[in-house]
Coordinates of all heavy atoms in Angstrom, one line a residue:
M391 N -13.8 21.4 -6.9 CA -13.5 20.4 -7.9 C -14.2 19.1 -7.6 O -14.2 18.7 -6.4 CB -12.0 20.2 -7.9 CG -11.4 19.7 -9.3 SD -9.7 19.8 -9.7 CE -8.8 19.9 -8.1
S392 N -14.7 18.4 -8.5 CA -15.4 17.2 -8.3 C -14.4 16.1 -7.9 O -13.2 16.2 -8.2 CB -16.2 16.7 -9.5 OG -15.3 16.2 -10.5
I393 N -14.9 15.1 -7.3 CA -14.1 14.0 -6.8 C -13.4 13.3 -8.1 O -12.2 13.0 -8.1 CB -14.9 12.9 -6.1 CG1 -15.2 13.4 -4.7 CG2 -14.0 11.6 -5.8 CD1 -16.0 12.5 -3.8
K394 N -14.2 13.2 -9.1 CA -13.7 12.6 -10.3 C -12.5 13.4 -10.9 O -11.5 12.8 -11.2 CB -14.9 12.5 -11.4 CG -14.6 11.7 -12.5 CD -15.8 11.5 -13.4 CE -15.9 12.6 -14.3 NZ -17.0 12.6 -15.4
R395 N -12.7 14.6 -10.9 CA -11.7 15.6 -11.4 C -10.4 15.4 -10.5 O -9.3 15.4 -11.0 CB -12.3 17.0 -11.3 CG -11.6 18.1 -12.1 CD -11.8 17.9 -13.6 NE -10.5 17.7 -14.3 CZ -10.4 17.2 -15.5 NH1 -11.5 16.9 -16.2 NH2 -9.3 17.1 -16.1
R396 N -10.6 15.4 -9.2 CA -9.4 15.3 -8.3 C -8.7 14.0 -8.5 O -7.5 14.0 -8.4 CB -9.9 15.5 -6.9 CG -10.3 16.9 -6.6 CD -11.0 16.9 -5.2 NE -10.1 16.6 -4.1 CZ -10.4 16.4 -2.9 NH1 -11.7 16.3 -2.6 NH2 -9.6 16.2 -1.9
I397 N -9.5 12.9 -8.7 CA -8.8 11.6 -9.0 C -8.0 11.6 -10.2 O -6.9 11.2 -10.3 CB -9.9 10.5 -9.1 CG1 -10.5 10.2 -7.6 CG2 -9.2 9.2 -9.6 CD1 -11.6 9.3 -7.6
I398 N -8.6 12.3 -11.3 CA -7.9 12.4 -12.5 C -6.6 13.1 -12.4 O -5.4 12.7 -12.8 CB -8.7 13.1 -13.7 CG1 -9.9 12.2 -14.0 CG2 -7.9 13.4 -14.9 CD1 -10.9 12.7 -15.0
E399 N -6.6 14.3 -11.7 CA -5.4 15.1 -11.5 C -4.4 14.3 -10.7 O -3.2 14.3 -11.1 CB -5.7 16.4 -10.7 CG -6.6 17.4 -11.5 CD -6.1 17.8 -12.8 OE1 -4.8 18.1 -12.8 OE2 -6.8 17.8 -13.8
L400 N -4.9 13.6 -9.8 CA -3.9 12.8 -8.9 C -3.3 11.7 -9.7 O -2.0 11.6 -9.6 CB -4.7 12.2 -7.8 CG -3.9 11.3 -6.8 CD1 -2.9 12.0 -6.0 CD2 -4.9 10.6 -5.9
L401 N -4.0 11.0 -10.5 CA -3.4 9.9 -11.3 C -2.5 10.4 -12.3 O -1.4 9.8 -12.7 CB -4.5 9.0 -11.8 CG -5.4 8.3 -10.9 CD1 -6.5 7.5 -11.6 CD2 -4.5 7.4 -10.0
R402 N -2.8 11.6 -12.9 CA -2.0 12.3 -13.9 C -0.6 12.6 -13.3 O 0.4 12.5 -13.9 CB -2.6 13.5 -14.4 CG -3.6 13.3 -15.5 CD -3.5 14.4 -16.5 NE -4.4 14.1 -17.6 CZ -5.6 14.7 -17.7 NH1 -5.9 15.7 -16.8 NH2 -6.4 14.4 -18.7
A403 N -0.6 13.0 -12.0 CA 0.7 13.4 -11.4 C 1.7 12.4 -11.2 O 2.8 12.7 -11.0 CB 0.3 14.0 -10.0
G404 N 1.3 11.1 -11.2 CA 2.3 10.1 -11.0 C 2.2 8.7 -11.0 O 2.2 8.0 -11.9
D405 N 2.1 8.3 -9.7 CA 2.2 6.8 -9.4 C 1.0 6.0 -9.6 O -0.1 6.5 -9.6 CB 2.6 6.7 -8.0 CG 4.0 6.1 -7.8 OD1 4.4 5.4 -8.8 OD2 4.6 6.3 -6.8
F406 N 1.2 4.7 -9.7 CA 0.1 3.8 -9.7 C -0.4 3.8 -8.2 O 0.4 3.7 -7.2 CB 0.6 2.3 -10.0 CG 0.6 2.1 -11.4 CD1 1.8 2.2 -12.1 CD2 -0.5 1.8 -12.2 CE1 1.9 2.0 -13.5 CE2 -0.5 1.5 -13.5 CZ 0.7 1.6 -14.2
L407 N -1.7 4.0 -8.0 CA -2.3 4.0 -6.7 C -3.4 3.0 -6.5 O -4.2 2.8 -7.4 CB -2.8 5.5 -6.4 CG -1.8 6.6 -6.4 CD1 -2.6 7.9 -6.3 CD2 -0.9 6.4 -5.2
T408 N -3.4 2.5 -5.3 CA -4.6 1.6 -5.0 C -5.8 2.6 -4.5 O -5.6 3.7 -4.3 CB -4.3 0.7 -3.8 OG1 -4.0 1.5 -2.7 CG2 -3.1 -0.2 -4.0
A409 N -7.0 2.0 -4.5 CA -8.2 2.7 -4.1 C -7.9 3.3 -2.7 O -8.3 4.4 -2.4 CB -9.4 1.8 -4.1
H410 N -7.3 2.5 -1.9 CA -7.1 2.9 -0.5 C -6.1 4.2 -0.4 O -6.3 5.1 0.3 CB -6.5 1.8 0.3 CG -6.4 2.1 1.8 ND1 -7.5 2.0 2.6 CD2 -5.4 2.4 2.6 CE1 -7.3 2.3 3.8 NE2 -6.0 2.6 3.9
E411 N -5.1 4.1 -1.2 CA -4.2 5.2 -1.3 C -4.9 6.6 -1.9 O -4.5 7.6 -1.4 CB -2.9 4.9 -2.2 CG -2.0 3.9 -1.5 CD -1.1 3.3 -2.4 OE1 -1.2 3.3 -3.7 OE2 -0.1 2.5 -1.9
I412 N -5.7 6.3 -2.8 CA -6.5 7.5 -3.4 C -7.3 8.1 -2.3 O -7.3 9.3 -2.2 CB -7.4 7.0 -4.5 CG1 -6.5 6.6 -5.8 CG2 -8.3 8.1 -5.0 CD1 -7.2 6.0 -6.9
I413 N -8.0 7.3 -1.5 CA -8.7 7.8 -0.4 C -7.8 8.6 0.6 O -8.1 9.7 1.0 CB -9.4 6.7 0.4 CG1 -10.5 6.0 -0.5 CG2 -10.1 7.2 1.7 CD1 -11.1 4.8 0.2
D414 N -6.7 8.1 1.0 CA -5.7 8.6 1.9 C -5.2 10.1 1.3 O -5.3 11.0 2.0 CB -4.5 7.7 2.0 CG -4.7 6.9 3.3 OD1 -5.7 7.0 3.9 OD2 -3.7 6.3 3.6
V415 N -4.7 10.0 0.1 CA -4.1 11.2 -0.4 C -5.1 12.3 -0.6 O -4.8 13.5 -0.3 CB -3.5 10.9 -1.8 CG1 -2.9 12.2 -2.5 CG2 -2.4 9.9 -1.6
L416 N -6.3 12.0 -1.1 CA -7.3 13.0 -1.4 C -8.1 13.4 -0.1 O -8.9 14.3 -0.1 CB -8.2 12.6 -2.5 CG -7.6 12.5 -3.9 CD1 -8.7 12.2 -4.9 CD2 -6.9 13.8 -4.3
G417 N -7.9 12.5 1.0 CA -8.7 12.7 2.1 C -10.2 12.5 1.9 O -11.1 13.3 2.4
L418 N -10.5 11.6 1.1 CA -12.0 11.3 0.7 C -12.8 10.7 1.8 O -12.3 9.9 2.6 CB -12.0 10.4 -0.6 CG -11.4 10.9 -1.8 CD1 -11.5 9.9 -2.9 CD2 -12.0 12.2 -2.3
D419 N -14.0 11.1 1.8 CA -15.0 10.6 2.8 C -15.7 9.5 2.2 O -17.0 9.6 2.2 CB -15.8 11.8 3.3 CG -16.7 11.3 4.6 OD1 -16.3 10.3 5.1 OD2 -17.7 11.9 4.7
C420 N -15.1 8.5 1.7 CA -15.9 7.3 1.1 C -15.0 6.1 1.2 O -13.8 6.1 1.5 CB -16.3 7.6 -0.2 SG -15.0 7.8 -1.4
D421 N -15.6 4.8 1.0 CA -14.8 3.7 1.1 C -14.4 3.2 -0.3 O -14.6 3.8 -1.3 CB -15.8 2.6 1.7 CG -17.0 2.3 0.8 OD1 -17.1 2.8 -0.3 OD2 -17.9 1.6 1.4
E422 N -13.7 2.1 -0.3 CA -12.9 1.6 -1.5 C -14.0 1.4 -2.6 O -13.7 1.7 -3.8 CB -12.2 0.4 -1.2 CG -11.0 0.6 -0.4 CD -10.0 -0.6 -0.3 OE1 -10.1 -1.5 -1.1 OE2 -9.3 -0.6 0.7
R423 N -15.1 0.8 -2.2 CA -16.1 0.5 -3.3 C -16.6 1.7 -4.0 O -16.7 1.7 -5.2 CB -17.3 -0.2 -2.6 CG -18.4 -0.6 -3.5 CD -19.5 -1.4 -2.8 NE -18.9 -2.4 -2.0 CZ -19.6 -3.4 -1.5 NH1 -20.9 -3.5 -1.8 NH2 -19.1 -4.3 -0.7
C424 N -16.6 2.9 -3.3 CA -17.1 4.1 -3.8 C -15.9 4.7 -4.7 O -16.3 5.2 -5.8 CB -17.4 5.1 -2.7 SG -17.4 6.8 -3.1
V425 N -14.7 4.5 -4.4 CA -13.6 4.9 -5.2 C -13.6 4.1 -6.5 O -13.4 4.7 -7.6 CB -12.2 4.7 -4.5 CG1 -11.1 5.0 -5.4 CG2 -12.1 5.7 -3.4
Y426 N -13.9 2.8 -6.4 CA -13.9 2.0 -7.7 C -15.0 2.5 -8.6 O -14.9 2.5 -9.8 CB -14.1 0.5 -7.3 CG -12.8 -0.1 -6.8 CD1 -12.9 -0.7 -5.5 CD2 -11.7 -0.2 -7.5 CE1 -11.7 -1.3 -5.1 CE2 -10.5 -0.7 -7.1 CZ -10.5 -1.3 -5.8 OH -9.4 -1.9 -5.3
K427 N -16.1 2.9 -7.9 CA -17.2 3.4 -8.8 C -16.7 4.7 -9.5 O -16.9 4.9 -10.7 CB -18.4 3.7 -7.9 CG -19.7 3.7 -8.5 CD -20.8 3.8 -7.6 CE -21.0 5.2 -7.1 NZ -21.9 5.2 -5.9
H428 N -16.1 5.5 -8.7 CA -15.5 6.8 -9.3 C -14.5 6.5 -10.5 O -14.5 7.0 -11.5 CB -14.8 7.7 -8.3 CG -15.8 8.5 -7.5 ND1 -16.7 9.3 -8.0 CD2 -16.0 8.4 -6.1 CE1 -17.4 9.8 -6.9 NE2 -17.0 9.3 -5.8
L429 N -13.7 5.5 -10.2 CA -12.7 5.1 -11.2 C -13.3 4.7 -12.5 O -12.7 4.9 -13.6 CB -11.7 4.0 -10.6 CG -10.7 4.4 -9.6 CD1 -10.0 3.2 -9.1 CD2 -9.7 5.4 -10.2
R430 N -14.4 4.0 -12.3 CA -15.1 3.6 -13.6 C -15.6 4.8 -14.4 O -15.4 4.8 -15.7 CB -16.3 2.7 -13.3 CG -15.9 1.3 -12.9 CD -17.0 0.3 -12.9 NE -17.9 0.4 -11.8 CZ -17.7 -0.2 -10.7 NH1 -16.7 -1.0 -10.5 NH2 -18.5 -0.1 -9.7
H431 N -16.1 5.9 -13.7 CA -16.4 7.1 -14.4 C -15.2 7.8 -15.0 O -15.2 8.3 -16.1 CB -17.2 8.0 -13.5 CG -18.5 7.5 -13.0 ND1 -19.5 7.2 -14.0 CD2 -19.0 7.1 -11.9 CE1 -20.5 6.8 -13.3 NE2 -20.3 6.7 -12.1
V432 N -14.1 7.8 -14.1 CA -12.8 8.4 -14.6 C -12.4 7.8 -15.9 O -12.0 8.4 -16.8 CB -11.8 8.3 -13.5 CG1 -10.4 8.6 -14.0 CG2 -12.1 9.2 -12.3
A433 N -12.4 6.4 -15.9 CA -11.9 5.7 -17.1 C -12.7 6.1 -18.3 O -12.1 6.4 -19.3 CB -12.0 4.2 -16.8
R434 N -14.0 6.2 -18.2 CA -14.8 6.5 -19.3 C -14.5 8.0 -19.8 O -14.4 8.2 -20.9 CB -16.3 6.4 -18.9 CG -16.7 5.0 -19.2 CD -18.2 4.8 -19.0 NE -18.5 3.5 -18.4 CZ -19.1 3.4 -17.2 NH1 -19.5 4.4 -16.6 NH2 -19.2 2.1 -16.6
S435 N -14.5 8.8 -18.8 CA -14.4 10.3 -19.3 C -13.0 10.7 -19.8 O -12.9 11.4 -20.7 CB -14.9 11.2 -18.1 OG -14.0 11.3 -17.1
V436 N -12.0 10.0 -19.2 CA -10.6 10.2 -19.7 C -10.6 9.8 -21.2 O -10.0 10.4 -22.0 CB -9.6 9.5 -18.9 CG1 -8.3 9.4 -19.6 CG2 -9.4 10.2 -17.5
W437 N -11.1 8.6 -21.4 CA -11.1 8.0 -22.8 C -11.9 9.0 -23.7 O -11.4 9.3 -24.8 CB -11.8 6.7 -22.7 CG -12.0 6.0 -24.0 CD1 -13.2 6.0 -24.7 CD2 -11.0 5.4 -24.8 NE1 -12.9 5.3 -25.9 CE2 -11.7 4.9 -26.0 CE3 -9.7 5.0 -24.6 CZ2 -11.0 4.1 -26.9 CZ3 -9.0 4.3 -25.5 CH2 -9.6 3.9 -26.7
R438 N -13.0 9.5 -23.3 CA -14.0 10.2 -24.1 C -13.4 11.6 -24.3 O -13.4 12.0 -25.5 CB -15.3 10.3 -23.5 CG -16.5 10.4 -24.5 CD -17.8 10.3 -23.8 NE -17.9 11.1 -22.5 CZ -18.3 10.6 -21.4 NH1 -18.8 9.4 -21.3 NH2 -18.3 11.3 -20.3
C439 N -13.0 12.2 -23.3 CA -12.5 13.6 -23.4 C -11.2 13.7 -24.3 O -10.9 14.8 -24.8 CB -12.2 14.2 -22.0 SG -13.7 14.4 -21.1
S440 N -10.4 12.6 -24.3 CA -9.2 12.7 -25.1 C -9.4 12.2 -26.5 O -8.4 12.0 -27.2 CB -8.1 12.0 -24.4 OG -8.4 10.6 -24.4
G441 N -10.5 11.9 -26.9 CA -10.8 11.3 -28.1 C -10.1 9.8 -28.3 O -9.7 9.5 -29.4
G442 N -9.8 9.2 -27.2 CA -9.2 7.9 -27.3 C -7.7 7.9 -27.2 O -7.1 6.9 -27.2
R443 N -7.1 9.1 -27.0 CA -5.7 9.1 -26.9 C -5.1 8.9 -25.5 O -4.0 8.4 -25.3 CB -5.2 10.5 -27.4 CG -5.3 10.8 -28.8 CD -4.5 12.1 -29.2 NE -4.9 13.2 -28.4 CZ -6.0 14.0 -28.6 NH1 -6.7 13.7 -29.6 NH2 -6.3 15.0 -27.7
E444 N -6.0 9.1 -24.5 CA -5.6 8.9 -23.1 C -6.5 7.8 -22.5 O -7.7 7.9 -22.8 CB -5.7 10.1 -22.4 CG -4.5 10.8 -21.8 CD -4.8 11.9 -20.9 OE1 -5.8 12.6 -21.1 OE2 -4.0 12.2 -20.0
R445 N -5.9 7.1 -21.6 CA -6.8 6.1 -20.9 C -6.3 5.8 -19.5 O -5.1 5.9 -19.2 CB -7.0 4.9 -21.7 CG -5.7 4.1 -21.9 CD -5.9 2.9 -22.9 NE -7.0 2.0 -22.5 CZ -7.4 1.1 -23.1 NH1 -6.9 0.7 -24.3 NH2 -8.4 0.3 -22.7
L446 N -7.2 5.4 -18.7 CA -6.9 5.0 -17.4 C -6.2 3.7 -17.4 O -6.7 2.7 -18.0 CB -8.2 4.8 -16.5 CG -7.9 4.5 -15.1 CD1 -7.4 5.6 -14.2 CD2 -9.2 3.9 -14.5
V447 N -5.0 3.5 -16.9 CA -4.2 2.3 -17.0 C -4.4 1.6 -15.6 O -4.2 2.2 -14.6 CB -2.7 2.6 -17.2 CG1 -2.0 1.2 -17.2 CG2 -2.5 3.3 -18.5
M448 N -4.7 0.3 -15.8 CA -4.8 -0.5 -14.5 C -3.7 -1.5 -14.4 O -3.5 -2.2 -15.3 CB -6.2 -1.2 -14.4 CG -7.3 -0.3 -14.1 SD -8.8 -1.3 -14.0 CE -9.2 -1.6 -15.7
R449 N -3.0 -1.6 -13.3 CA -2.1 -2.7 -13.0 C -3.0 -3.7 -12.3 O -3.7 -3.4 -11.3 CB -1.0 -2.2 -12.1 CG 0.0 -3.2 -11.9 CD 1.1 -2.7 -11.0 NE 1.9 -1.6 -11.7 CZ 2.9 -1.0 -11.0 NH1 3.1 -1.1 -9.8 NH2 3.5 0.0 -11.7
L450 N -3.1 -4.9 -12.9 CA -4.0 -5.9 -12.5 C -3.7 -6.4 -11.1 O -2.5 -6.4 -10.6 CB -4.0 -7.0 -13.4 CG -4.5 -6.7 -14.9 CD1 -4.2 -7.8 -15.8 CD2 -6.0 -6.3 -14.9
P451 N -4.8 -6.7 -10.3 CA -4.6 -7.2 -9.0 C -4.0 -8.7 -9.1 O -4.2 -9.3 -10.2 CB -5.9 -7.3 -8.4 CG -6.9 -7.2 -9.5 CD -6.2 -6.5 -10.7
Y452 N -3.2 -9.1 -8.1 CA -2.7 -10.5 -8.2 C -2.6 -11.0 -6.8 O -2.7 -10.4 -5.8 CB -1.3 -10.6 -8.9 CG -0.2 -9.7 -8.1 CD1 0.5 -10.4 -7.2 CD2 -0.1 -8.4 -8.4 CE1 1.5 -9.7 -6.5 CE2 0.9 -7.7 -7.7 CZ 1.7 -8.4 -6.7 OH 2.6 -7.7 -6.1
C453 N -2.5 -12.4 -6.8 CA -2.5 -13.1 -5.5 C -1.1 -13.0 -5.0 O -0.1 -13.4 -5.7 CB -2.9 -14.6 -5.8 SG -2.6 -15.6 -4.3
R454 N -1.0 -12.7 -3.7 CA 0.4 -12.5 -3.1 C 1.0 -13.9 -2.7 O 2.1 -14.0 -2.4 CB 0.4 -11.6 -1.9 CG 0.3 -10.1 -2.3 CD 0.5 -9.3 -0.9 NE -0.3 -8.1 -1.0 CZ -0.6 -7.4 0.1 NH1 -0.1 -7.8 1.2 NH2 -1.3 -6.3 -0.1
R455 N 0.1 -14.9 -2.8 CA 0.6 -16.2 -2.3 C 1.1 -17.0 -3.5 O 2.2 -17.5 -3.5 CB -0.5 -16.9 -1.6 CG -0.1 -18.2 -0.9 CD -1.1 -18.5 0.0 NE -1.3 -19.8 0.6 CZ -2.5 -20.3 0.9 NH1 -3.6 -19.5 0.6 NH2 -2.6 -21.3 1.5
C456 N 0.3 -17.1 -4.6 CA 0.6 -18.0 -5.6 C 1.0 -17.2 -7.0 O 1.3 -17.8 -7.9 CB -0.4 -19.1 -5.9 SG -1.9 -18.4 -6.7
G457 N 0.7 -15.9 -6.9 CA 1.0 -15.1 -8.1 C 0.0 -15.1 -9.2 O 0.2 -14.5 -10.2
Y458 N -1.2 -15.7 -8.9 CA -2.2 -15.7 -9.9 C -2.6 -14.2 -10.2 O -2.8 -13.4 -9.3 CB -3.4 -16.4 -9.3 CG -4.7 -16.3 -10.2 CD1 -4.8 -17.3 -11.3 CD2 -5.7 -15.4 -10.1 CE1 -6.0 -17.2 -12.1 CE2 -6.8 -15.3 -10.9 CZ -6.9 -16.2 -11.9 OH -7.9 -16.1 -12.8
V459 N -2.7 -13.9 -11.5 CA -3.1 -12.5 -11.9 C -4.5 -12.5 -12.4 O -4.9 -13.3 -13.2 CB -2.1 -12.0 -13.0 CG1 -2.5 -10.7 -13.4 CG2 -0.7 -12.0 -12.6
F460 N -5.2 -11.6 -11.9 CA -6.7 -11.4 -12.3 C -6.7 -10.7 -13.7 O -7.0 -9.5 -13.7 CB -7.5 -10.7 -11.3 CG -7.6 -11.5 -10.0 CD1 -6.5 -11.4 -9.1 CD2 -8.6 -12.2 -9.7 CE1 -6.5 -12.1 -7.8 CE2 -8.7 -12.9 -8.5 CZ -7.7 -12.9 -7.6
T461 N -6.6 -11.5 -14.7 CA -6.5 -10.9 -16.0 C -7.9 -10.6 -16.7 O -8.1 -9.9 -17.7 CB -5.7 -11.7 -17.1 OG1 -6.3 -13.1 -17.0 CG2 -4.3 -11.8 -16.7
N462 N -9.0 -11.2 -16.1 CA -10.3 -11.1 -16.6 C -11.0 -9.8 -16.1 O -12.2 -9.9 -15.9 CB -11.1 -12.4 -16.4 CG -11.1 -12.7 -14.9 OD1 -10.3 -12.1 -14.1 ND2 -12.1 -13.5 -14.5
L463 N -10.3 -8.8 -15.8 CA -10.8 -7.6 -15.1 C -11.2 -6.6 -16.2 O -10.4 -6.0 -16.8 CB -9.8 -7.1 -14.2 CG -10.3 -6.4 -12.9 CD1 -11.0 -7.5 -12.0 CD2 -9.2 -5.8 -12.2
E464 N -12.4 -6.3 -16.3 CA -12.9 -5.3 -17.3 C -12.9 -4.0 -16.6 O -12.6 -3.0 -17.3 CB -14.3 -5.7 -17.8 CG -14.4 -7.0 -18.6 CD -13.8 -6.9 -19.9 OE1 -13.8 -5.7 -20.5 OE2 -13.3 -7.8 -20.4
E465 N -13.2 -3.9 -15.4 CA -13.4 -2.6 -14.7 C -12.8 -2.7 -13.4 O -12.5 -3.7 -12.8 CB -14.9 -2.3 -14.6 CG -15.6 -2.2 -15.9 CD -16.9 -1.4 -15.7 OE1 -17.7 -1.9 -14.9 OE2 -17.2 -0.4 -16.4
P466 N -12.4 -1.5 -12.7 CA -11.8 -1.5 -11.5 C -12.6 -2.0 -10.4 O -13.7 -1.7 -10.2 CB -11.5 0.0 -11.2 CG -11.7 0.7 -12.5 CD -12.7 -0.2 -13.3
W467 N -12.1 -3.1 -9.7 CA -12.7 -3.6 -8.5 C -11.7 -4.4 -7.8 O -10.6 -4.6 -8.2 CB -13.9 -4.5 -8.8 CG -13.6 -5.7 -9.5 CD1 -13.1 -5.8 -10.9 CD2 -13.6 -7.1 -9.1 NE1 -12.9 -7.1 -11.2 CE2 -13.2 -7.9 -10.2 CE3 -14.0 -7.7 -7.9 CZ2 -13.1 -9.3 -10.1 CZ3 -13.9 -9.1 -7.8 CH2 -13.5 -9.9 -8.9
K468 N -12.0 -4.9 -6.6 CA -11.1 -5.7 -5.8 C -11.6 -7.1 -5.6 O -12.6 -7.3 -4.9 CB -10.9 -4.9 -4.5 CG -9.8 -5.5 -3.6 CD -9.8 -4.8 -2.3 CE -8.6 -5.2 -1.5 NZ -8.6 -4.6 -0.2
P469 N -10.9 -8.0 -6.1 CA -11.3 -9.4 -5.9 C -11.1 -9.8 -4.5 O -10.1 -9.3 -3.9 CB -10.5 -10.3 -6.8 CG -9.5 -9.3 -7.5 CD -9.7 -7.9 -6.9
S470 N -11.9 -10.6 -3.9 CA -11.8 -10.9 -2.5 C -10.9 -12.2 -2.2 O -10.4 -12.4 -1.2 CB -13.2 -11.1 -1.9 OG -13.9 -12.1 -2.5
K471 N -10.9 -13.0 -3.3 CA -10.2 -14.3 -3.1 C -9.6 -14.9 -4.3 O -10.1 -14.7 -5.4 CB -11.4 -15.3 -2.6 CG -10.9 -16.5 -1.9 CD -12.2 -17.2 -1.5 CE -11.9 -18.7 -1.5 NZ -13.1 -19.5 -1.3
C472 N -8.5 -15.6 -4.2 CA -7.8 -16.2 -5.3 C -8.6 -17.4 -5.8 O -8.7 -18.2 -5.0 CB -6.4 -16.5 -5.0 SG -5.5 -17.3 -6.2
P473 N -8.9 -17.5 -7.1 CA -9.6 -18.7 -7.5 C -8.7 -19.9 -7.7 O -9.1 -21.0 -7.8 CB -10.0 -18.2 -9.0 CG -9.1 -17.2 -9.4 CD -8.6 -16.5 -8.2
R474 N -7.3 -19.7 -7.6 CA -6.4 -20.9 -7.8 C -6.1 -21.5 -6.4 O -6.2 -22.6 -6.3 CB -5.2 -20.4 -8.5 CG -4.4 -21.6 -8.9 CD -3.4 -21.2 -10.1 NE -2.3 -20.3 -9.7 CZ -1.4 -19.9 -10.5 NH1 -1.6 -20.0 -11.8 NH2 -0.4 -19.1 -10.1
C475 N -5.7 -20.6 -5.5 CA -5.2 -21.2 -4.2 C -6.2 -20.9 -3.0 O -6.0 -21.3 -1.9 CB -3.8 -20.7 -3.9 SG -3.6 -19.0 -3.4
G476 N -7.1 -20.0 -3.3 CA -8.1 -19.6 -2.2 C -7.6 -18.6 -1.2 O -8.3 -18.2 -0.3
S477 N -6.4 -18.2 -1.5 CA -5.8 -17.1 -0.6 C -6.6 -15.8 -0.7 O -7.1 -15.5 -1.7 CB -4.3 -16.8 -0.9 OG -3.9 -15.6 -0.3
R478 N -6.6 -15.1 0.5 CA -7.4 -13.8 0.5 C -6.3 -12.6 0.5 O -6.6 -11.4 0.7 CB -8.2 -13.6 1.7 CG -9.5 -14.5 1.5 CD -10.4 -14.4 2.6 NE -11.5 -15.3 2.5 CZ -12.6 -15.1 1.8 NH1 -12.7 -13.9 1.2 NH2 -13.5 -16.0 1.7
L479 N -5.0 -13.1 0.3 CA -4.0 -12.0 0.3 C -3.9 -11.5 -1.1 O -3.0 -11.8 -1.9 CB -2.6 -12.6 0.7 CG -2.4 -12.9 2.2 CD1 -1.2 -13.7 2.4 CD2 -2.4 -11.7 3.0
I480 N -4.8 -10.6 -1.5 CA -4.8 -10.2 -2.9 C -4.2 -8.7 -2.9 O -4.6 -7.8 -2.2 CB -6.3 -10.0 -3.4 CG1 -7.0 -11.4 -3.3 CG2 -6.2 -9.6 -4.8 CD1 -6.3 -12.5 -4.0
E481 N -3.1 -8.6 -3.8 CA -2.5 -7.3 -4.0 C -3.6 -6.5 -4.9 O -3.9 -6.9 -6.0 CB -1.3 -7.4 -4.7 CG -0.6 -6.1 -5.0 CD -0.1 -5.3 -3.8 OE1 0.1 -6.0 -2.8 OE2 0.2 -4.1 -4.0
P482 N -4.1 -5.4 -4.3 CA -5.2 -4.7 -5.0 C -4.7 -4.1 -6.4 O -3.6 -3.8 -6.6 CB -5.6 -3.6 -4.1 CG -4.5 -3.4 -3.1 CD -3.8 -4.7 -3.0
Q483 N -5.7 -3.9 -7.3 CA -5.4 -3.2 -8.5 C -5.0 -1.8 -8.2 O -5.4 -1.2 -7.4 CB -6.8 -3.3 -9.3 CG -6.9 -2.4 -10.4 CD -7.8 -1.1 -10.1 OE1 -8.8 -1.3 -9.5 NE2 -7.4 0.0 -10.6
R484 N -4.2 -1.4 -9.2 CA -3.7 0.0 -9.1 C -4.0 0.8 -10.3 O -4.1 0.2 -11.4 CB -2.2 0.1 -8.8 CG -1.8 -0.4 -7.4 CD -0.3 -0.6 -7.3 NE 0.0 -1.1 -6.0 CZ 0.3 -0.3 -5.0 NH1 0.5 1.0 -5.2 NH2 0.6 -0.8 -3.8
S485 N -4.2 2.1 -10.2 CA -4.6 2.8 -11.4 C -3.6 3.9 -11.6 O -3.0 4.4 -10.7 CB -6.0 3.5 -11.2 OG -6.9 2.5 -10.7
L486 N -3.4 4.3 -12.9 CA -2.6 5.4 -13.3 C -3.2 6.1 -14.4 O -3.7 5.5 -15.4 CB -1.2 4.8 -13.7 CG -0.2 6.0 -14.2 CD1 0.1 6.9 -13.1 CD2 1.0 5.3 -14.7
Ligands
ZN1146 ZN1 -3.5 -17.6 -5.2

C-alpha cells in the first residue's frame, strides 16, 4: 500500500492527527516536512476521487501562548513562529 493510501486509511479511522503522530502510528521513515507533502497529495486525491463529497479536514495550527490561529493556511504545513507574539510554541495543524 502506498504511503498516501495508508495515510488516507488512518485518517478515515478516526482522530485528528499531527504530522508527527502520523509518522509514529504508521512507522514512516520520513520527517514531518515529507508528511505534509503527502498530506497535500492526500487532500487532492480524496477530493478528486470522491467527486468533491469528501475532503481532508484540517484543524488549524494555533499559538499556545496567545491563542493566535493561523487561518491563512491553504495547505498543510507547520508555521515556525507566531506573527502576533513571536512565540515558537505552536500547536501543529491536525488532519482528519
Ligand atoms: Zn502568539
Side-chain angles (χ1 to χ4, degrees):
M391 204 162 29
S392 71
I393 291 183
K394 194 170 85 174
R395 198 73 239 162
R396 290 170 66 195
I397 292 177
I398 291 175
E399 295 302 319
L400 176 64
L401 295 178
R402 276 220 177 100
D405 241 339
F406 277 97
L407 294 170
T408 64
H410 192 75
E411 288 164 346
I412 291 173
I413 293 172
D414 263 7
V415 174
L416 295 181
L418 299 180
D419 186 22
C420 66
D421 60 11
E422 291 188 20
R423 186 174 308 199
C424 163
V425 170
Y426 285 122
K427 208 170 73 195
H428 284 301
L429 282 173
R430 287 196 281 272
H431 291 299
V432 166
R434 276 188 217 116
S435 73
V436 165
W437 174 261
R438 210 174 40 229
C439 295
S440 68
R443 286 191 310 275
E444 244 189 332
R445 63 188 307 177
L446 181 77
V447 178
M448 283 187 285
R449 189 177 287 173
L450 296 169
Y452 64 90
C453 174
R454 283 191 216 162
R455 193 164 160 211
C456 74
Y458 177 86
V459 180
F460 295 80
T461 51
N462 56 344
L463 211 67
E464 296 286 331
E465 297 197 307
W467 65 292
K468 187 183 188 180
S470 57
K471 199 173 147 188
C472 174
R474 192 157 75 185
C475 73
S477 164
R478 288 181 185 277
L479 289 171
I480 306 298
E481 177 70 22
Q483 165 254 320
R484 290 167 181 267
S485 309
L486 177 63

